[in-house]
Amino acid sequence: MNTGLFITLEGPDGSGKSTQISYLREYFEEKGIDCVFTREPGGTHIGEELRRIILDKDNREMCDMAEALLYAASRAQHVEELIKPALKSGKVVVCDRFIDSSIAYQGYGRQLGDSVRVINEYAVGECMPDITFLMKLPPAVGKSRINTEEQDRLEQEKLDFHNKVYGGYLEIAKHYSERFICVDASRDKEAIRMDLIEAVEKALQDRGILCL
Ligand code: TMP
């Protein structure tokens, strides 16, 4: 188990993760709890460089396995350089997407299957999230929220791809039910915020990071 608390947010594009992450930031600031906010792909200098390559719309020739390996490379660097040291020093880490994104998008969406989990086990080692929030929202609704011109290489994919990703998420959440908390993301932002804060608060108390 991690010394600090490792929280990840997952879900289809346009499911409102960024808004909820900004609410979590406010919450941790208010409580005076030391928290690192980060994202994938990215989070480190090398990770952000890889992000640019992975999401660049002009990189049409990128094959699926190269894509999966680049996400995993960004993650390996992220875990080693930022996430593990932060958790070791007892901090809370909130990460916008992590290993489950690869399993859903590359494993299910690109249909690379179990190879994605294997690659990523090398990338993360023992460093797994304590809590993963899955923002449940039909991909068609999420996609309609994103301006077409602003869509990156993955967001641009057809609805059929995003439906496969979403189906993957639901399977993963069932399989790892001990760390997944599924949230109905079709509700208003405040209702979602309250669900997240309640779960986070409980985990902070269980670990003695927040006292009653
Ligand atoms: P973001 O828009 O949430 O920052 O994520 C960038 C895109 O990358 C998003 O469409 C999901 C996708 N993605 C994967 O396909 N595999 C991964 O491992 C990660 C972290 C993201």
Side-chain angles (χ1 to χ4, degrees):
M1 194 170 44
N2 299 317
T3 324
L5 180 66
F6 186 17
I7 302 168
T8 59
L9 276 89
E10 296 282 354
D13 295 287
S15 58
K17 286 182 291 96
S18 310
T19 306
Q20 293 303 323
I21 286 172
S22 70
Y23 291 153
L24 286 176
R25 194 187 284 274
E26 279 170 19
Y27 170 81
F28 283 107
E29 272 171 17
E30 239 171 61
K31 296 279 174 196
I33 296 172
D34 207 353
C35 185
V36 175
F37 284 85
T38 187
R39 68 170 180 181
E40 290 205 345
T44 63
H45 174 67
I46 291 171
E48 291 294 329
E49 296 221 319
L50 292 172
R51 180 184 177 95
R52 190 185 49 74
I53 296 168
I54 299 169
L55 299 181
D56 187 342
K57 282 186 233 182
D58 293 333
N59 284 337
R60 282 184 210 92
E61 70 277 33
M62 189 183 295
C63 74
D64 293 346
M65 187 49 85
E67 178 184 291
L69 289 164
L70 287 172
Y71 277 114
S74 162
R75 183 162 301 127
Q77 185 67 32
H78 198 198
V79 165
E80 210 48 40
E81 189 181 324
L82 189 90
I83 301 176
K84 267 206 305 207
L87 292 172
K88 208 171 162 199
S89 67
K91 289 185 185 161
V92 177
V93 175
V94 175
C95 190
D96 185 352
R97 300 192 179 281
F98 194 61
I99 186 168
D100 303 302
S101 279
S102 279
I103 300 177
Y105 281 78
Q106 281 66 54
Y108 285 84
R110 299 292 192 212
Q111 298 185 286
L112 292 177
D114 204 40
S115 61
V116 178
R117 181 187 56 79
V118 175
I119 295 161
N120 276 280
E121 280 179 1
Y122 284 107
V124 306
E126 303 282 297
C127 187
M128 285 295 284
D130 298 299
I131 301 176
T132 301
F133 290 109
L134 174 60
M135 306 285 281
K136 283 178 72 179
L137 189 76
V141 180
K143 211 167 167 18
S144 70
R145 290 178 178 174
I146 309 167
N147 188 324
T148 317
E149 267 122 63
E150 286 169 12
Q151 290 181 356
D152 62 39
R153 200 173 59 81
L154 273 287
E155 286 166 346
Q156 264 185 348
E157 284 291 337
K158 297 202 167 59
L159 189 56
D160 178 50
F161 169 81
H162 288 283
N163 283 333
K164 285 194 191 110
V165 170
Y166 192 54
Y169 267 133
L170 300 180
E171 289 283 319
I172 302 164
K174 242 192 273 169
H175 196 262
Y176 298 100
S177 58
E178 72 290 348
R179 70 175 162 90
F180 264 85
I181 297 177
C182 295
V183 178
D184 175 0
S186 66
R187 295 168 304 155
D188 69 81
K189 296 170 190 170
E190 183 54 24
I192 303 170
R193 186 188 78 88
M194 280 164 65
D195 279 2
L196 263 65
I197 298 292
E198 191 187 18
V200 166
E201 205 144 72
K202 186 179 176 306
L204 291 172
Q205 284 165 0
D206 288 350
R207 280 172 175 69
I209 299 173
L210 184 72
C211 298
L212 280 171

